[in-house]
C-alpha cells in the first residue's frame, strides 16, 4: 500500500506540492497561535505567582522576641504546611560562595504536598516532598545567578555555598525568553536553613508568609493559621498581630483580547487554507478519475478507494505538519535576539504537536470528503470517456 501511495504522489507531484504548501501555511499559523495563547497564559500566571484564588499573604508581627518564640517558630511553620505550601519572603540578601559582590534574595519554602503551581523551571527540577522529609541541602537558583555561576548548565556536582554550607543546585528558575521576578532569587528548603529567620535577639520581629493552598476559602485559611499560632504560643509569653492580604485578580481583558485575536487570526487563516486545500484536493482526485474508475470496473470496493484516498490525504497533512513545526522550531533560532526583546517564545511544545496533529488529521479528512463524494457519484464508463 505504501508503495502505491508513493507512486501516486510521484505521478501527481505538482498537486502534492501545492497541497503540502497549503497545509504548511495553515498548520504553521495555528501552531504559532497556540504558542501565543500559551505564552499569554504563562505571563498572566507569572505576574501573580500562580492562581490568585489559592494565594494568601500573612504578615505576622510578634510582640515578644525571645527564646520561647524561637523554640516554637519551627513548629508553627511545620503546622502551617498542613494547609499548603509556605514561603517566607521578607529575608535579607545573602552572600553566595562568600562573595561580597554576589548576593541574592533568599526565599525559604516548605510543603508536604505540591501545590497546583510552582515557579517556572528552565533547567532541572522543582522541590519534591522527599527534599523536605530528608532535610536535603538543595536549592533552586534564578537564571541570572546560574549564568554567572554555571554558564554551561547545572549537573550533579553543581553546588553553591550559603552561610558556610554547601547546597546542591537542583533547578534554575525563570523564563528563557523574558525577565521574571525569580531571576535573582534563591529558593531554599526551610528546614535546612531555618536560622535565616533570625527570630532570636536581632532586629527581626516579623515574618511575611506566602501561603499557596488548595482551598480558595479565605476565611477557612485565616482561621487555620490563627488557630495554629494560638495553639503554639498559648503557653508562652509571646503574642502576635497578623494581617492577611490577597493578590487582586488582574484585569484579564487584555489577555482575553490577545487570545481571542490570536484565535480569530489563526482560525481565519486556517479556514481559508482548508477551502483552498479542498479545491486542490478536488483537482488532485478528479485528475485521478481514470485510475479510480478502472479500479471500480475491476471490482474494487468504494470503501477501499475512499480509505486509500483519505490515508493519502492524512499522510500529506501529517508530513506538512512536521515541516510546519520544524519551521516554527528554527524561527526562534534565526530571530533569537528580536524575539527575546519582545519577550516571545514560539518554540513548539507538546501542545503544538498535539494540536497540529489533530488539525492535520481533521483537515486531511475534510479536504477529502467533497471530492470523494463527487467522484463516487460518477459513472465509471462516462468518467473514462471524458478522461
Amino acid at each position: 500500500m505504501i508503495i502505491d501511495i508513493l507512486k501516486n504522489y510521484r505521478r501527481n507531484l505538482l498537486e502534492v506540492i501545492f497541497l503540502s504548501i497549503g497545509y504548511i501555511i495553515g498548520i504553521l499559523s495555528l501552531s504559532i497561535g497556540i504558542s501565543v495563547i500559551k505564552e499569554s497564559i504563562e505571563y498572566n500566571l507569572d505576574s501573580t505567582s500562580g492562581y490568585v484564588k489559592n494565594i494568601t499573604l500573612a504578615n505576622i508581627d510578634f510582640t515578644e522576641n525571645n527564646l520561647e518564640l524561637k523554640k516554637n517558630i519551627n513548629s508553627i511553620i511545620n503546622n502551617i504546611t498542613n494547609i499548603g505550601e509556605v514561603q517566607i519572603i521578607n529575608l535579607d540578601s545573602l552572600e553566595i560562595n562568600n562573595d561580597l559582590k554576589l548576593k541574592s534574595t533568599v526565599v525559604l519554602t516548605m510543603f508536604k504536598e505540591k501545590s497546583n503551581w510552582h515557579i517556572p523551571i528552565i533547567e532541572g527540577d522543582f522541590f519534591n516532598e522527599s527534599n523536605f522529609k530528608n532535610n536535603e541541602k538543595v536549592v533552586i537558583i534564578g537564571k541570572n545567578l546560574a549564568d554567572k555561576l554555571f554558564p554551561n548548565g547545572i549537573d550533579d556536582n553543581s553546588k553553591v555555598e550559603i552561610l558556610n554550607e554547601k547546597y546542591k543546585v537542583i533547578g534554575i528558575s525563570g523564563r528563557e525568553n523574558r525577565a521574571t521576578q525569580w531571576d535573582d532569587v534563591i529558593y531554599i528548603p526551610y528546614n535546612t536553613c531555618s536560622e535565616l529567620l533570625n527570630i532570636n535577639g536581632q532586629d527581626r520581629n516579623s515574618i511575611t508568609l506566602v501561603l499557596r493552598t488548595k482551598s480558595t476559602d479565605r476565611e477557612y485559611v485565616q482561621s487555620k493559621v490563627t488557630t495554629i499560632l494560638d495553639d503554639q504560643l498559648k503557653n508562652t509569653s509571646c503574642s502576635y498581630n497578623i494581617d492577611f492580604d490577597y493578590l487582586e485578580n488582574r484585569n484579564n481583558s487584555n489577555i482575553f483580547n490577545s487570545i481571542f485575536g490570536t484565535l480569530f487570526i489563526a482560525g481565519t487563516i486556517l479556514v481559508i487554507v482548508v477551502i483552498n486545500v479542498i479545491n486542490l484536493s478536488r483537482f488532485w482526485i478528479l485528475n485521478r478519475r481514470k485510475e479510480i474508475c478502472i479500479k471500480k470496473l475491476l471490482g474494487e470496493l468504494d470503501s477501499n478507494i475512499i480509505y486509500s484516498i483519505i490515508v493519502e490525504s492524512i499522510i500529506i497533512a501529517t508530513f506538512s505538519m512536521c515541516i510546519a513545526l520544524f519551521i516554527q522550531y528554527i524561527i526562534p533560532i534565526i530571530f533569537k535576539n528580536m524575539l527575546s526583546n519582545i519577550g516571545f517564545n514560539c518554540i513548539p511544545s507538546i501542545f503544538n504537536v498535539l494540536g497540529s496533529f489533530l488539525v492535520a488529521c481533521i483537515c486531511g479528512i475534510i479536504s477529502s470528503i467533497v471530492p470523494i463524494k463527487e467522484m463516487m457519484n460518477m459513472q465509471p464508463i462516462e468518467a473514462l470517456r471524458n478522461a
Side-chain angles (χ1 to χ4, degrees):
M1 181 179 179
I2 298 297
I3 295 175
D4 292 337
I5 290 174
L6 293 176
K7 287 181 179 179
N8 288 331
Y9 289 162
R10 186 176 180 180
R11 285 195 296 267
N12 303 276
L13 184 59
L14 189 61
E15 292 90 341
V16 171
I17 291 174
F18 280 119
L19 270 174
S20 300
I21 292 173
Y23 277 123
I24 289 169
I25 293 172
I27 293 172
L28 181 60
S29 65
L30 177 74
S31 185
I32 291 178
I34 291 173
S35 295
V36 171
I37 293 169
K38 179 175 175 288
E39 188 71 14
S40 298
I41 294 171
E42 285 182 352
Y43 181 82
N44 192 37
L45 287 174
D46 288 353
S47 64
T48 55
S49 295
Y51 301 96
V52 292
K53 291 183 178 180
N54 300 97
I55 297 175
T56 300
L57 301 177
N59 303 295
I60 309 172
D61 292 313
F62 298 101
T63 56
E64 296 289 339
N65 188 351
N66 54 31
L67 286 173
E68 288 181 317
L69 176 58
K70 181 163 185 175
K71 289 177 181 178
N72 286 277
I73 193 68
N74 288 346
S75 182
I76 290 171
I77 299 299
N78 273 284
N79 276 281
I80 293 177
T81 57
N82 292 323
I83 308 172
E85 180 182 337
V86 178
Q87 294 179 359
I88 304 169
I89 61 174
N90 63 326
L91 302 176
D92 298 326
S93 297
L94 288 180
E95 295 175 13
I96 309 301
N97 295 345
N98 299 322
D99 186 346
L100 291 173
K101 295 182 180 179
L102 189 60
K103 290 188 175 184
S104 173
T105 301
V106 174
V107 174
L108 296 179
T109 187
M110 191 172 182
F111 58 79
K112 293 180 180 176
E113 186 177 346
K114 282 186 179 180
S115 64
N116 57 5
W117 187 92
H118 62 68
I119 58 173
I121 301 296
I122 297 174
E123 183 180 351
D125 299 300
F126 188 64
F127 299 123
N128 57 52
E129 292 85 344
S130 66
N131 296 141
F132 302 102
K133 289 180 181 178
N134 301 326
N135 294 327
E136 297 175 10
K137 291 187 179 296
V138 293
V139 294
I140 295 171
I141 65 174
K143 70 175 183 180
N144 289 345
L145 288 171
D147 289 341
K148 296 174 184 177
L149 295 171
F150 310 105
N152 296 322
I154 59 173
D155 54 35
D156 290 338
N157 298 316
S158 301
K159 294 183 179 181
V160 295
E161 186 173 341
I162 302 170
L163 297 180
N164 298 316
E165 292 283 352
K166 294 284 188 179
Y167 288 81
K168 180 182 176 181
V169 179
I170 61 170
I172 299 174
S173 61
R175 298 287 185 189
E176 290 185 353
N177 56 301
R178 55 181 165 82
T180 67
Q181 61 266 43
W182 307 288
D183 295 349
D184 296 289
V185 177
I186 286 187
Y187 281 77
I188 304 178
Y190 170 79
N191 50 349
T192 66
C193 211
S194 58
E195 64 269 23
L196 288 180
L197 279 184
N198 200 19
I199 289 295
N200 184 37
Q202 296 293 329
D203 297 327
R204 189 177 304 285
N205 282 25
S206 64
I207 55 175
T208 299
L209 307 180
V210 176
L211 309 178
R212 189 168 283 111
T213 62
K214 287 188 175 181
S215 174
T216 59
D217 186 338
R218 294 177 173 179
E219 291 184 359
Y220 167 80
V221 173
Q222 290 183 18
S223 174
K224 293 292 288 185
V225 173
T226 53
T227 299
I228 290 169
L229 286 164
D230 290 339
D231 288 344
Q232 293 298 316
L233 300 177
K234 63 183 178 182
N235 296 321
T236 72
S237 61
C238 302
S239 59
Y240 68 91
N241 294 313
I242 186 167
D243 290 319
F244 292 98
D245 196 7
Y246 300 92
L247 297 173
E248 294 297 328
N249 285 306
R250 286 170 55 87
N251 181 359
N252 291 322
S253 58
N254 291 334
I255 301 295
F256 175 79
N257 291 337
S258 174
I259 293 175
F260 178 79
T262 302
L263 284 173
F264 179 78
I265 294 172
T268 301
I269 294 174
L270 190 63
V271 169
I272 293 173
V273 167
V274 169
I275 292 173
N276 288 328
V277 164
I278 289 175
N279 289 329
L280 286 169
S281 296
R282 180 176 181 274
F283 176 76
W284 175 45
I285 294 174
L286 291 178
N287 198 40
R288 297 168 55 193
R289 60 183 179 274
K290 182 176 180 180
E291 168 199 338
I292 294 173
C293 290
I294 290 174
K295 286 182 177 181
K296 292 183 70 173
L297 288 173
L298 292 175
E300 185 79 40
L301 296 175
D302 286 355
S303 58
N304 291 340
I305 296 174
I306 292 171
Y307 174 76
S308 64
I309 292 174
I310 290 177
V311 169
E312 289 179 21
S313 297
I314 291 176
I315 289 175
I316 293 174
T318 304
F319 176 73
S320 303
M321 177 203 75
C322 295
I323 295 177
L325 292 177
F326 176 73
I327 292 172
Q328 186 180 351
Y329 179 80
I330 65 173
I331 285 174
I333 298 175
I334 298 173
F335 301 102
K336 181 178 180 180
N337 293 333
M338 185 181 74
L339 293 176
S340 295
N341 290 335
I342 63 176
F344 176 64
N345 177 27
C346 69
I347 295 177
S349 66
I350 186 64
F351 299 104
N352 298 83
V353 176
L354 292 176
S356 298
F357 179 74
L358 181 63
V359 168
C361 291
I362 292 173
C363 287
I365 294 171
I366 291 176
S367 64
S368 304
I369 290 175
V370 174
I372 284 175
K373 185 176 180 181
E374 187 173 342
M375 177 61 70
M376 290 300 104
N377 289 331
M378 293 180 63
Q379 295 299 321
I381 299 299
E382 183 182 346
L384 284 173
R385 188 181 299 119
N386 297 325

